[in-house]
Amino acid sequence: SPTYAREIQTEAFGVGLHGVLQARADRLTGILNGIDTQAWNPATDTLIPRQFTARDLKGKAMNKTALQQRCGLAVNPKAMLFGVVSRLTAQKGIDLVLRHLEPLLAHGGQLVVLGQGETALQDALQSAAQGNPGAIAATFGYDESLAHLIEAGTDCFLMPSRFEPCGLNQMYSQAYGTPPIVSPTGGLVDSVVDATADPAHGTGFVMRSADGPGFLEALQRATQAWRAPRTWRRIQANGMARDFGWERSAAQYVEVYEQAIERARS
């Protein structure tokens, strides 16, 4: 993404290549990913029990119930349901989620996780699920239909990555009316408009720092917004109106290729 292209020119993100990348900065371009808007479209998605649109979110509520039932969570429409679909690694900030389970579950909150990765994180999630039956569900591995249902049925998606070259799930989440909480890095900050900084156009919540305090503060802002239905619906509608299709990204790739050809000719 554009931000990641800048980040890898720093010592913190360049992994020893920052000097080379700085020297070749005129050849370095950041482009956001696109998403498959046919596969990831809540109005036509055949992998979820009920399709829905920004104008009619009743189907989203039905998907929430279906997700709670499928994952063994307490069926409660008033529970704020958080979702994670991710590789379970420190890079993805899964430890931040584990560290803040108490505020996540406060006031009846719930968490559903789908992913696979580091054994220690999987064990911790499994232990948390066993210790909080009806409130936490963890599925290890990958399940395409469950991934779609998590995007469609959760209220808020968690993606507190420590670095993120681009990312896709934050885009899926916005398309499915599931405002994400993301860290201020890479493609996350490039594709999510913070609802606190820009109330009129906000699509999610950008952490002020990629650490525990940053996650907790963003979680508090998201929870407060969720408790204000009009505010939350506006954030959902803003996200669902975004265009993350490949057409925009493809045009940028074509521009880069054209520039490369022109440089070679000259």
Side-chain angles (χ1 to χ4, degrees):
S1 77
T3 293
Y4 190 67
R6 294 190 295 272
E7 289 175 339
I8 58 177
Q9 295 180 60
T10 68
E11 186 174 358
F13 289 90
V15 197
L17 293 175
H18 56 283
V20 174
L21 293 167
Q22 287 174 9
R24 303 289 285 176
D26 64 331
R27 301 293 199 273
L28 180 59
T29 302
I31 301 175
L32 270 177
N33 283 336
I35 66 173
D36 185 336
T37 53
Q38 293 184 337
W40 293 93
N41 182 345
T44 59
D45 192 340
T46 59
L47 294 179
I48 58 177
R50 187 65 179 265
Q51 290 75 45
F52 61 95
T53 66
R55 291 185 178 182
D56 184 1
L57 291 171
K58 293 179 182 177
K60 185 167 178 63
M62 295 177 183
N63 287 315
K64 180 175 180 177
T65 298
L67 178 60
Q68 290 171 326
Q69 292 174 333
R70 177 169 175 173
C71 294
L73 298 173
V75 176
N76 180 4
K78 296 183 178 180
M80 188 172 184
L81 179 53
F82 297 91
V84 173
V85 179
S86 175
R87 286 186 294 108
L88 304 178
T89 66
Q91 179 228 324
K92 296 295 186 178
I94 304 303
D95 56 305
L96 297 179
V97 177
L98 284 163
R99 202 183 309 164
H100 295 89
L101 288 178
E102 185 174 345
L104 271 173
L105 301 182
H107 311 293
Q110 298 176 335
L111 172 67
V112 57
V113 178
L114 171 64
Q116 189 170 351
E118 297 172 10
T119 301
L121 291 174
Q122 289 191 186
D123 290 346
L125 284 166
Q126 186 172 42
S127 177
Q130 291 172 345
N132 297 273
I136 298 178
T139 300
F140 304 119
Y142 191 74
D143 184 314
E144 184 75 10
S145 66
L146 181 55
H148 280 246
L149 185 55
I150 289 174
E151 292 289 9
T154 53
D155 295 303
C156 184
F157 195 85
L158 305 178
M159 203 168 174
S161 306
R162 288 184 167 85
F163 65 90
E164 193 65 63
C166 188
L168 290 171
N169 278 100
Q170 81 278 11
M171 299 182 193
Y172 299 152
S173 298
Q174 291 170 83
Y176 281 67
T178 305
I181 292 176
V182 301
S183 54
T185 188
L188 302 180
V189 74
D190 284 334
S191 59
V192 178
V193 180
D194 185 76
T196 305
D198 189 349
H201 305 99
T203 63
F205 301 87
V206 180
M207 296 157 53
R208 291 170 184 169
S209 54
D211 53 23
F215 179 76
L216 181 59
E217 191 272 341
L219 175 62
Q220 292 170 339
R221 287 190 285 124
T223 302
Q224 183 178 10
W226 183 75
R227 292 174 182 163
R230 288 186 179 180
T231 297
W232 196 256
R233 283 196 293 272
R234 182 176 67 246
I235 297 170
Q236 288 178 301
N238 287 343
M240 296 179 79
R242 298 286 299 277
D243 178 11
F244 289 118
W246 269 108
E247 290 80 3
R248 169 189 44 79
S249 300
Q252 292 177 287
Y253 275 102
V254 170
E255 184 178 351
V256 170
Y257 293 141
E258 289 176 342
Q259 290 174 354
I261 291 171
E262 183 61 31
R263 285 174 186 258
R265 286 174 176 168
S266 62

